Amino acid sequence: KEYSSMGAQPVGLFAPARRLGTPEELLAFVQKAHALGLRVLLSIAHDGAACCEDGLPGQFFPEGEAGFHPATGARLFDFAKQEVLRYLLSSLGFWMNEYGIDGFRFQGVSSIIYEDHGMWVPSDPAELDEYLASGNKLNNEGVHYLMMATSLVHEISKDAVVIADEFTSFPALCDATSDGGLGFDARQASALPQHLRTLLKTCHDEEWGMAELVEAACRAKSGRDGEKILGCFEGFEHCSVGRRPLKIAMLSWETLHTIA
């Protein structure tokens, strides 16, 4: 419905977007990738749904202001309801069983974990531990849902991969659910894309080098020992809602126009 969100606020979790082709074409794409030895992961949006009039107030989402994300306006799922859990968990099984998806990147994990959706959380791991110890900071139903989701994915396929887009260094994110963790295989380091853009905007090329980029890519790893980190220089979130992809920003419109 809203193309600027790049699918971050879906209205249906059981059908591919039309721009991905027909269901048969998507299945053929996954099968071809597997034939080449590649894995296919799906970025799943269970942190919220598109804000639209659904005629079902209080059914899948909390009523009133609690049912809307304060920053994005997305409708927030009520993880305390059994039918919501069935709906979300069954969508994970659907993509794995019907299309052969090899795992998921859960976006907006911080929004699911915290009562304030991660908007006012300390960035330092030690301060974060004190923040959590003060009580009433977590959305316990959301935490339990994530534990069920990662357990289900690993139960369907022991080789499946689940990645958390989580920027607050939440403890036990990648610990096994049997040990009280959330069960993710890796944390996505979300600070790297913005760090690279800042360097490009504020520094000359000779003022920074690859060592600084490598340090930025590994920075999240220093917060929680033993975690695997997925680093990327750009994701769809960093070029949606009017922002240009990095390669376009670097070339500039004049250069592209000349080449064309």
Side-chain angles (χ1 to χ4, degrees):
K1 181 178 180 180
E2 183 186 356
Y3 283 82
S4 64
S5 71
M6 302 288 286
Q9 298 177 15
V11 294
L13 299 180
F14 292 85
R18 185 171 58 180
R19 55 188 176 274
L20 296 179
T22 65
E24 294 77 14
E25 290 172 335
L26 178 58
L27 178 59
F29 170 83
V30 175
Q31 292 174 341
K32 182 65 175 179
H34 289 167
L36 295 173
L38 301 174
R39 291 186 177 188
V40 180
L41 273 63
L42 184 68
S43 183
I44 201 80
H46 286 183
D47 57 320
C51 183
C52 59
E53 296 295 333
D54 53 19
L56 297 172
Q59 298 297 313
F60 286 86
F61 317 105
E63 295 191 63
E65 293 184 1
F68 296 87
H69 193 286
T72 66
R75 298 291 295 271
L76 301 174
F77 289 108
D78 188 345
F79 297 106
K81 295 184 176 179
Q82 186 175 16
E83 290 304 318
V84 172
L85 299 179
R86 286 179 176 176
Y87 174 62
L88 298 177
L89 293 173
S90 61
S91 73
L92 298 175
F94 169 79
W95 290 107
M96 296 184 73
N97 294 324
E98 298 298 326
Y99 288 92
I101 295 297
D102 300 297
F104 301 93
R105 168 191 174 271
F106 282 74
Q107 69 178 41
V109 169
S110 302
S111 179
I112 299 176
I113 291 175
Y114 298 100
E115 286 286 355
D116 62 0
H117 310 293
M119 299 180 64
W120 312 109
V121 177
S123 57
D124 181 79
E127 295 179 2
L128 176 61
D129 292 340
E130 294 180 5
Y131 173 83
L132 294 174
S134 62
N136 300 322
K137 304 298 184 181
L138 297 180
N139 177 2
N140 292 318
E141 289 81 8
V143 171
H144 292 157
Y145 162 69
L146 291 173
M147 295 175 70
M148 286 188 289
T150 57
S151 297
L152 174 64
V153 171
H154 287 132
E155 181 179 339
I156 294 176
S157 173
K158 62 181 180 60
D159 296 322
V161 177
V162 279
I163 299 168
D165 171 30
E166 206 287 310
F167 59 87
T168 70
S169 297
F170 182 79
L173 183 79
C174 297
D175 290 352
T177 54
S178 58
D179 297 329
L182 270 62
F184 286 96
D185 295 300
R187 181 196 301 271
Q188 180 175 349
S190 55
L192 181 57
Q194 185 57 47
H195 183 74
L196 177 59
R197 285 180 177 266
T198 301
L199 289 176
L200 292 172
K201 288 181 179 179
T202 60
C203 301
H204 295 291
D205 292 349
E206 62 272 14
E207 295 177 354
W208 58 274
M210 288 301 299
E212 184 170 357
L213 293 179
V214 172
E215 191 276 333
C218 299
R219 189 171 298 156
K221 195 171 184 177
S222 63
R224 301 293 177 185
D225 293 335
E227 285 187 348
K228 294 181 179 179
I229 299 296
L230 173 66
C232 65
F233 285 106
E234 188 169 50
F236 74 87
E237 300 99 331
H238 307 105
C239 55
S240 62
V241 196
R243 295 192 65 178
R244 297 176 296 174
L246 188 59
K247 62 180 180 181
I248 302 299
M250 293 177 67
L251 290 172
S252 82
W253 169 251
E254 290 79 9
T255 304
L256 288 177
H257 183 71
T258 303
I259 296 175

